[in-house]
Amino acid sequence: MTSSNTQTIPSPTTPLTTSQKVVTWVPKVLVGLAVLIFVGYLLVYVYYAVQLFRFPFDYDQGEGFELMDTILFSQGEWPYRGNDSYPFYSSNYPPLFHVLAVPLVWIFGPQYWTGRLLSFVGTLITAGAIGYAVQRGGRRWWLSVLSGLAFLASNYVYHVGALFRQHMFMVMLETLAVVLLAVTIDQEEKDGRKRPWQLLGVMVLLLAAGYTKQLAYTTVIAVFIFLFLREPLRAIKWAIPFGLVTGLIFLGINQATDGQWMLNAITANLNPFVPGQAEGLYRQWFSLHIVLTLAAAAYALYQLYFERLSVYAIWFVVAVINGVTAGKWGAGESYFATAIAASCILSGLAFSRLITWAANDPGPTGTRHFGPQWPCHPSSRFCTFPGLPGLPPTHAYANPGAYCHGSGLSRWNHDRPADLMLSPARSGSDPLRGFSRCIVAGTAAE
């Protein structure tokens, strides 16, 4: 700007009041404390896992079965066999998790820590995927870190995550599939180009999750509901080959095991339903994850009424409904792990949206406060902000006698904060086009 109405603003000279300092620093202190607490939870979880790795015997009644499955696979045998002949053993779990543990058994022998390590690493990857999803949607590192650590801090994840059990590895594959789907659809909607190879990756992850544990059908249902709501024909086109490949693998294993795969992996898992067990586990899950659950549910309702349902919202709802299967005889609290992963992502995005709204919401005087106040001369229409190396001057409207807020003023793009504070000045165009608010007297210019 070269107009005589333009003024270059010096550094702010008015010091912050005590109340302003408190308002500025208290949230930072609270966030820092929250991160430290959840890092502490992580250290406890890691210590627990390391101690389990050193424990040479089964810590959970199911670990012996998991190790036996892995031993049989390492010997080139199927674990799906009749119970009436030696070794009088059969497995009722899909093969992938045990097959992945086979190389460790070949190298180190039949040790419980091999599968425990695989499961533990799976929980860390899940937490990383959760943090990535929240960071991509909210752009607040501390909230992304807390969302990922909240998953590892769950009582259920702590209990099962470092055991030689395949459930948490299934949750890892489910989470990766859903996050990859969300990224793929977002990219497609931004540039209009289809990405079939990325969607193929989603299908491969879903297939792998299903052949890690049968309960992954929950995420498969959620993914295809989401795809059908967005593009029905595309959902059908992907569902047909996905179903064919899943079915062919199933029939191949069943043929190779003389029908024992169907008998043990499907029929043997159709156990009686215990209503009291389902109710008790629902109550326990809700009481232990009340903040995550309520925030996720509220954001899912918000999307239903005011936006489009995201894949995370659909995933959360389907997973919570499927928690009823925890009432089967032989089931347990781990059946809620998928719902916990979904709630961590959805609640993280919900809190990010809430923070964005609060930062953008005018106070009683209609003034939005984003940072230090930079005084504008009463005769100036524009204020020019220096100090952005390599960029042209930036400016914003300012009414006479008003204050422009400098370093804290952010541009928002679909509720995501950008790195650049203010739009570069463009002659002959609206200087406010392309970024959001500048503080003016009693109002906010859009």
Side-chain angles (χ1 to χ4, degrees):
M1 297 291 298
T2 58
S3 168
S4 59
N5 284 340
T6 302
Q7 178 188 16
T8 299
I9 302 305
S11 300
T13 56
T14 305
L16 296 176
T17 65
T18 302
S19 60
Q20 288 175 324
K21 290 179 180 179
V22 170
V23 170
T24 300
W25 284 102
V26 166
K28 296 179 181 180
V29 172
L30 293 177
V31 166
L33 289 175
V35 171
L36 286 176
I37 289 171
F38 277 86
V39 168
Y41 288 148
L42 173 63
L43 293 177
V44 172
Y45 178 52
V46 171
Y47 178 79
Y48 163 69
V50 171
Q51 296 307 308
L52 272 180
F53 297 160
R54 300 171 61 186
F55 188 66
F57 308 109
D58 55 329
Y59 191 72
D60 177 88
Q61 60 86 22
E63 287 191 304
F65 295 95
E66 305 277 10
L67 181 59
M68 185 64 183
D69 285 2
T70 307
I71 292 172
L72 289 173
F73 275 119
S74 70
Q75 297 171 350
E77 301 181 32
W78 290 103
Y80 316 110
R81 53 181 70 203
N83 290 318
D84 54 353
S85 59
Y86 183 83
F88 312 107
Y89 174 84
S90 185
S91 172
N92 61 351
Y93 291 126
L96 182 60
F97 179 72
H98 310 108
V99 171
L100 292 176
V102 163
L104 293 176
V105 170
W106 283 340
I107 298 171
F108 301 103
Q111 304 291 329
Y112 281 105
W113 68 262
T114 56
R116 290 169 180 167
L117 177 64
L118 201 60
S119 178
F120 173 71
V121 170
T123 61
L124 299 183
I125 294 174
T126 303
I130 290 170
Y132 171 78
V134 175
Q135 176 66 14
R136 198 172 185 278
R139 308 293 184 186
R140 292 178 173 87
W141 70 267
W142 57 269
L143 189 56
S144 306
V145 169
L146 288 176
S147 298
L149 293 179
F151 176 77
L152 299 177
S154 166
N155 304 66
Y156 293 174
V157 175
Y158 176 87
H159 174 210
V160 184
L163 295 176
F164 195 153
R165 304 303 302 268
Q166 84 282 50
H167 193 100
M168 299 311 300
F169 201 81
M170 174 202 72
V171 175
M172 177 200 75
L173 294 168
E174 290 178 304
T175 305
L176 291 174
V178 172
V179 172
L180 178 58
L181 177 61
V183 171
T184 300
I185 298 301
D186 184 56
Q187 291 174 340
E188 290 182 347
E189 291 181 345
K190 281 183 177 179
D191 59 22
R193 294 190 301 109
K194 298 297 183 183
R195 290 171 168 78
W197 289 106
Q198 289 182 209
L199 203 53
L200 178 62
V202 173
M203 299 301 152
V204 171
L205 288 168
L206 290 177
L207 186 66
Y211 279 99
T212 297
K213 191 171 183 179
Q214 303 92 318
L215 207 62
Y217 68 80
T218 302
T219 302
V220 173
I221 291 173
V223 163
F224 279 102
I225 288 176
F226 172 76
L227 288 174
F228 188 82
L229 290 177
R230 293 297 175 96
E231 295 183 68
L233 184 59
R234 190 186 193 191
I236 294 171
K237 288 181 177 179
W238 279 99
I240 292 173
F242 180 83
L244 286 174
V245 172
T246 303
L248 287 174
I249 295 175
F250 186 94
L251 292 175
I253 298 176
N254 200 53
Q255 179 68 25
T257 58
D258 295 325
Q260 293 297 327
W261 161 252
M262 175 70 178
L263 177 64
N264 290 282
I266 304 299
T267 307
N269 278 302
L270 301 177
N271 295 323
F273 181 75
V274 184
Q277 177 174 308
E279 179 184 355
L281 286 173
Y282 262 119
R283 289 178 179 273
Q284 184 187 69
W285 159 74
F286 182 75
S287 64
L288 292 174
H289 307 87
I290 185 169
V291 174
L292 295 175
T293 304
L294 289 179
Y299 194 44
L301 287 173
Y302 174 84
Q303 289 186 348
L304 177 64
Y305 284 99
F306 300 104
E307 298 180 347
R308 291 191 301 176
L309 284 172
S310 66
V311 65
Y312 301 127
I314 296 172
W315 187 36
F316 169 74
V317 172
V318 175
V320 169
I321 294 173
N322 190 66
V324 71
T325 57
K328 294 190 307 174
W329 183 86
E333 76 281 358
S334 62
Y335 278 47
F336 287 94
T338 298
I340 295 169
S343 68
C344 287
I345 294 178
L346 204 56
S347 61
L349 295 175
F351 285 122
S352 179
R353 176 64 64 88
L354 187 63
I355 293 169
T356 297
W357 173 84
N360 253 353
D361 183 52
T365 63
T367 301
R368 293 179 170 92
H369 296 280
F370 289 99
Q373 295 181 344
W374 300 73
C376 298
H377 193 276
S379 63
S380 298
R381 173 170 169 75
F382 293 106
C383 299
T384 301
F385 294 82
L388 295 176
L391 293 175
T394 58
H395 57 210
Y397 280 116
N399 287 345
Y403 283 90
C404 289
H405 283 51
S407 62
L409 182 62
S410 296
R411 177 170 64 89
W412 299 87
N413 179 18
H414 301 295
D415 299 316
R416 299 174 186 173
D419 295 328
L420 187 60
M421 297 304 177
L422 298 171
S423 281
R426 294 182 178 88
S427 60
S429 65
D430 181 358
L432 288 178
R433 187 183 303 279
F435 70 95
S436 61
R437 289 98 177 162
C438 174
I439 304 303
V440 296
T443 185
E446 296 284 349

